Amino acid sequence: MRMPGTSAGQAASGRADAGEQADGSPAQATAAGREAPQATGTSASPPAGRLRPDLTHLISQWLSTLRRHWLATALVTAGLVLRVLAMIAYRPALVYVDTLKYLYNSWAGSDPVGYKAPLKLILLVGNLETVAAVQHLLGLAMAVTLYAVLVRRGTPRWLAAIAIAPVLLDAYQLQSEQTIMPDVWFEALIVAGLAVLLWTPHLTTKICIAAGLILGTSATFRQVGEILILPAAIFVLAAARGGWRDTARKTIAVCAAFIAPILLYSAGSYDLSGHFQLSRSGVASTYGRMAALADCATLKLPADLKVLCPSATEQKVGPDRLDHDANSPAKLFTPPPGMSRNAAIGKFNHAVLVQQPLRVFSAIARDTLKLFAVTRKTSPGDTPISRWQFQTYYPTYLDIGLSSSHVIIVGLKQPHGPVLYRPLNPAYGGATRVSRPLSAFLHSYQRDGGYTPGPLLLLAVLIGFVGSLAALFRRRASAAQRQLTLACLLFFTAGAADLLASDLFEFSWRYQLPALVTLIPGGALGAAALLRYAQGRLRRTPAAGSPDQEPQLAASAG
């Protein structure tokens, strides 16, 4: 693997290579002399050494690259070890209630099911253990890609390595990769789309189209991905430099490409189910949020919609259970004649938002701040954090159980009948196997600090915000600073948009994981831009004292 260098480093490497070819080392000359064919009457074949690279030289280059990027290499190695331990600890993989949507089409239409595509392809040649292995490789690939993008944009290697540590070492990320869920693929599509936009300094229409397609596809894995059209468009508007026509063309290109996979998925959904949409949840998906915070004593509603307002006891269970529990008012509610269930719930949500906006926005703000807490815990009404933690046993849920022989039993809801319980398809991996020592280690590692600290995320957000604002000052920034601030703008807005959109529905530690691949790199890019600005000030400002102090400062800054 060849890690990237900065543009200046690559140019220097190119000049050094050219010099070596011109001078010719003694070893090369001797080898050439030994391999030169003797003059004969027939044409001689080209020397084999000229057709293929010298293996020793390639290994030397590879080792040299690893030494230059030693910190990133060490972190990737540690991340690989942790992922191997997770795979051995829980076999064939971890399954969650939502896993049944993708394996058995449970609750059809409740969420986009783009995850089915890679899942089914992998299951053609393997089982759930293979799926987990691929997802762990995706985690490592995200880290390497982020490091490459940050270094290419001018981030110091040590800072870029620190930026990928969370996605490599965070136990919540590891648990997500070990679980048969679309979350890791959603993160990977975000990273891929941002990397395409940032890989080269010159933004072309083709790059905009490619990035738009990738980011738009993320919405077919998790619907909240629809919000990513905003950071993509903002970046193109800020980065395009060919006049308003060129800017408009590229902005339209990225937006049209973003919408294309969503339209394609919706068309397929219409063909199969008669619904042209990513999911049929619609406004009902925000009911839990609105119902949990509503002040029902003062809320003005039509008489036939008052039953949607939960009691104080029901509100304590939180948005997730109000959305999905069978005893939720939204599930027991019978809409008035001539009105659909979604339309009725939409009116209730609108009434809460319009009449009690401060309650809505303060609840969202409180949930947003939870990301920056020093410790991680379950707040009242939140989805239990234990669902996203490694346990010393194989976890089970309402519709996920284990037989006496440790075979996974899944509960499948019938269209017009009771839940049917049956063993998981044996082709998916057979009985579960949990390594007690490894699961105990992972459980302890996660509970005792093996996660990204909230204060670090807060620092990344603050620096990323400053760096994003700096992207607006084109005239005062050098070309190198501009490359950093534009990248910071893209990562920061992508992370902020995704997390805020998720918190609009409910807070879950599961939905905070994209911060590791957006907000943390954005903070590193912002810090690199500030460092470069400080170095530039040192070079431009003469030091007090002797005239030769200025070059010394410039040399130390470089």
Side-chain angles (χ1 to χ4, degrees), residues 339-353:
M339 184 182 295
S340 68
R341 178 180 298 274
N342 277 355
I345 292 176
K347 283 193 172 184
F348 170 82
N349 293 343
H350 184 263
V352 176
L353 178 62

Side-chain angles (χ1 to χ4, degrees), residues 48 58 87 93 102 168 173 213 237 317-318 327 329 371 458 479 510 558:
L58 287 177
M87 288 192 63
Y102 311 103
L168 288 169
Q173 176 70 29
L213 289 172
L237 287 171
V317 302
N327 295 319
L371 178 63
L458 178 59
R510 167 192 172 190

Side-chain angles (χ1 to χ4, degrees), residues 395-406:
T396 58
Y397 307 95
L398 179 63
D399 294 320
I400 305 290
L402 291 178
S403 70
S404 57
S405 56
H406 303 287

Side-chain angles (χ1 to χ4, degrees), residues 52 59-60 83 98 110 133 197 211 217 241 258 270 273 313 340 395 426 429 462 474 528 548:
R52 62 178 183 272
I59 294 175
S60 176
R83 283 159 173 80
D98 289 355
S110 60
L197 283 173
T217 301
R241 306 186 70 179
F258 186 98
Y270 180 80
S273 64
T313 302
S340 68
L462 294 176
R474 298 189 180 190
D548 58 351

Side-chain angles (χ1 to χ4, degrees), residues 29 46 63 98 104 113 122 145 179 222 235 267 271-272 312 333 340 348 374 385 388 483 507 553:
L63 292 175
D98 289 355
Y104 293 102
V113 289
I122 297 171
T145 302
T179 306
R222 277 191 56 203
F235 172 78
D271 185 57
L272 294 173
F333 166 71
S340 68
F348 170 82
V374 176
I385 194 173
W388 327 123
Q483 291 300 314
F507 177 86
L553 285 172

Side-chain angles (χ1 to χ4, degrees), residues 445-466:
Y445 171 74
Q446 187 171 24
R447 295 282 298 260
D448 298 336
Y451 54 84
T452 308
L456 176 62
L457 285 162
L458 178 59
L459 180 63
V461 167
L462 294 176
I463 297 176
F465 178 72
V466 173

Side-chain angles (χ1 to χ4, degrees), residues 296-310 329 333 348:
C296 294
T298 61
L299 187 65
K300 298 177 182 178
L301 286 170
D304 50 9
L305 296 183
K306 286 186 179 294
V307 292
L308 284 172
C309 219
F333 166 71
F348 170 82

Side-chain angles (χ1 to χ4, degrees), residues 168-190:
L168 288 169
L169 307 180
D170 193 302
Y172 289 88
Q173 176 70 29
L174 297 175
Q175 197 267 357
S176 177
E177 294 173 14
Q178 185 64 20
T179 306
I180 308 303
M181 290 284 284
D183 299 46
V184 178
W185 296 83
F186 177 69
E187 293 177 77
L189 287 166
I190 293 176

